[in-house]
Amino acid sequence: LPKENFLSSVSVNTFYEPYFEAGARLNFVPNDKLAVSVYALNGYNIYEDNNEKKSFGMLLTYALSDKGNIGYSSYIGDDSFEGDTISHLRTHNNLFVNYQIKKLKIQVGGDYCTQKNSDIADPTKTASMYSGVLSLKYQLKPKFAIAGRGEIFNDPQGFMSGIIIDKQSKYTGLSLWGATLGLEYKPNDNTYLRLEGRQLQMDKDQEIFYWNGKSVASRTEVLFNIGISF
């Protein structure tokens, strides 16, 4: 739920992960530490099937203790449009760790994804991307907490983030790092107010943002969010 997140803004790598899907799921919990889920899906971040091929995935989570867990998730599938005879088989791997040390909560995650026949320079080669994120949340007082996040995202072939033309007239995918700092106030368990500041910095030649009448390679934003759950 949004109230359980450290921050309200979404990291870039989370945005491109397969976080909404349609299909069937089988859960298996052999003991109180291990949980296994297996998926049969229509595709990668799509609800309605766009071809006759099905995708598959899995999620493994293991409880290290009552303080945290470690997990691995994967996806494999080809979302090429109907009639495309060239395979674009995608394999996505995600590893994450959640842990709490007294008042400090820690989240670490990393992604590595490949897709066949998707290289910009040579369409017969396999393209790859990687990303990583580190999030921290410290409970200052019962109702006040501070959180921070650092992230990197590198998709040089643009098979996930899309292909752009940079300042050097080169076709490329997105490459960036970001930092976010936030303050949270929770009057009660079902309500929160968050003030966040975020900086996204692209590769110096990727001027994808527009500010003060010119294209720039960085973006600074301030966010204020209110959440109520019932």
Side-chain angles (χ1 to χ4, degrees):
L1 296 175
K3 69 176 182 178
E4 297 168 344
N5 294 334
F6 289 7
L7 298 159
S8 292
S9 58
V10 178
S11 63
V12 175
N13 63 313
T14 299
F15 181 81
Y16 288 108
E17 287 176 344
Y19 66 96
F20 65 89
E21 299 165 324
R25 180 179 68 185
L26 177 65
N27 295 329
F28 176 58
V29 185
N31 54 58
D32 59 356
K33 286 186 174 293
L34 180 64
V36 182
S37 296
V38 181
Y39 304 87
L41 305 164
N42 282 342
Y44 195 95
N45 278 348
I46 58 174
Y47 289 127
E48 186 176 353
D49 198 355
N50 68 336
N51 55 33
E52 295 181 353
K53 303 173 184 177
K54 293 302 176 184
S55 302
F56 299 92
M58 67 177 297
L59 170 64
L60 303 174
T61 57
Y62 182 80
L64 301 171
S65 67
D66 60 348
K67 299 295 185 182
N69 62 16
I70 186 170
Y72 167 77
S73 64
S74 65
Y75 171 96
I76 183 168
D78 187 345
D79 291 322
S80 302
F81 288 103
E82 197 71 44
D84 191 345
T85 59
I86 299 176
S87 172
H88 293 94
L89 186 69
R90 177 178 295 183
T91 303
H92 192 109
N93 300 279
N94 169 257
L95 183 66
F96 60 89
V97 178
N98 300 298
Y99 206 76
Q100 182 169 354
I101 304 173
K102 296 183 178 180
K103 295 183 178 182
L104 178 65
K105 293 182 179 180
I106 305 168
Q107 293 180 343
V108 183
D111 295 87
Y112 181 72
C113 185
T114 63
Q115 184 168 292
K116 290 186 176 180
N117 301 307
S118 299
D119 188 277
I120 295 176
D122 185 351
T124 65
K125 291 185 177 180
T126 297
S128 64
M129 63 75 60
Y130 67 85
S131 63
V133 62
L134 168 63
S135 300
L136 304 172
K137 183 176 182 180
Y138 186 78
Q139 200 68 38
L140 297 168
K141 297 288 183 179
K143 295 184 178 181
F144 287 92
I146 187 170
R149 178 179 64 215
E151 59 183 297
I152 58 171
F153 181 86
N154 189 36
D155 179 25
Q157 305 305 322
F159 69 92
M160 295 186 70
S161 59
I163 297 173
I164 64 171
I165 302 176
D166 67 13
K167 259 181 77 174
Q168 306 301 322
S169 298
K170 176 184 175 183
Y171 288 89
T172 181
L174 301 186
S175 177
L176 62 90
W177 63 264
T180 308
L181 183 64
L183 180 65
E184 177 186 74
Y185 170 63
K186 295 187 70 173
N188 53 59
D189 289 340
N190 295 324
T191 307
Y192 65 83
L193 294 87
R194 292 182 185 142
L195 179 64
E196 299 176 20
R198 187 183 192 190
Q199 176 75 17
L200 287 177
Q201 179 63 53
M202 309 298 301
D203 178 275
K204 61 182 179 65
D205 292 325
Q206 296 182 352
E207 296 181 340
I208 66 171
F209 305 115
Y210 193 73
W211 178 253
N212 276 349
K214 62 179 180 179
S215 297
V216 294
S218 64
R219 174 182 173 91
T220 303
E221 42 185 32
V222 177
L223 307 89
F224 179 69
N225 298 275
I226 300 175
I228 300 174
S229 61
F230 51 87

